[in-house]
């Protein structure tokens, strides 16, 4: 989608590192907060799949939630979908691409795809979202009345 959207992805915890093939946020053990939020773009009515890239660094308790990924409105008050990720979902030292599916019934302004680090493990999060859409017909997500798939923001 729009290249400038990548610049709108932000983080409230962790340290950003641009040296490993793109922006990565590294969170510390015990650090809780959003390792990614944004990009504050409109979600037209339709079905979406958002793919993110996360990597767990170090050991983690099997039963604890390490991160929660979600899609929401600009204020973060209306959550369209969320998914908890545990150690089994994020193998140690391996980049993993969890998918979050959600449906939008009415236009959502300022939509976000977020990663909440719980602090139960050290995480690395690539500041990017691979957003696939189906059935959207409202600009700016889809060009003149057709749907478009595979937008990376």
């Amino acid at each position: 989608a729009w290249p400038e959207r990548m610049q709108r992805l932000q983080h409230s915890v962790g340290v950003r590192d641009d040296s490993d093939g793109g922006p990565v946020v590294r969170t510390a053990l015990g650090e809780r907060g959003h390792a990614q939020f944004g990009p504050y773009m409109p979600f037209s009515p339709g079905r979406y799949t958002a793919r993110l890239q996360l990597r767990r660094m170090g050991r983690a308790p099997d039963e604890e939630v390490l991160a929660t990924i979600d899609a929401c409105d600009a204020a973060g008050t209306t959550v369209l979908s969320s998914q908890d990720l545990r150690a089994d979902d994020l193998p140690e030292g391996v980049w993993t691409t969890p998918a979050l599916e959600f449906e939008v019934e009415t236009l959502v302004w300022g939509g976000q795809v977020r990663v909440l680090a719980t602090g139960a493990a050290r995480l690395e999060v690539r500041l990017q979202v691979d957003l696939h859409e189906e059935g959207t017909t409202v600009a700016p997500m889809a060009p003149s009345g057709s749907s478009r798939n595979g937008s990376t923001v």
Side-chain angles (χ1 to χ4, degrees):
W2 313 318
E4 78 275 7
R5 295 291 182 196
M6 180 67 81
Q7 298 172 14
R8 294 186 186 185
L9 291 170
Q10 303 172 47
H11 62 100
S12 62
V13 297
V15 176
R16 181 179 169 141
D17 182 356
D18 292 318
S19 66
D20 185 25
V24 172
V25 173
R26 293 184 169 90
T27 66
L29 187 63
E31 190 172 26
R32 180 180 173 80
H34 285 100
Q36 176 178 298
F37 63 93
Y40 300 104
M41 64 187 292
F43 291 150
S44 301
R47 290 179 301 283
Y48 293 81
T49 301
R51 289 184 174 80
L52 303 109
Q53 291 188 354
L54 293 88
R55 176 166 61 182
R56 173 171 56 96
M57 304 304 291
R59 298 181 58 163
D62 291 335
E63 66 284 350
E64 283 192 53
V65 174
L66 307 181
T68 300
I69 58 176
D70 69 15
C72 63
D73 64 356
T77 54
T78 301
V79 175
L80 303 168
S81 180
S82 73
Q83 179 181 344
D84 290 338
L85 302 173
R86 293 177 167 74
D88 287 348
D89 302 312
L90 301 171
E92 183 178 354
V94 177
W95 282 107
T96 306
T97 309
L100 180 69
E101 295 182 356
F102 60 99
E103 189 161 341
V104 175
E105 294 181 15
T106 59
L107 181 64
V108 173
W109 291 105
Q112 301 186 65
V113 178
R114 307 182 299 183
V115 177
L116 174 69
T118 65
R122 292 185 303 127
L123 297 177
E124 294 183 349
V125 178
R126 288 201 190 275
L127 281 182
Q128 75 177 47
V129 177
D130 182 17
L131 189 64
H132 293 268
E133 52 195 283
E134 183 179 324
T136 60
T137 57
V138 179
M141 293 297 290
S144 34
S146 63
S147 59
R148 190 170 93 186
N149 293 315
S151 303
T152 300
V153 293

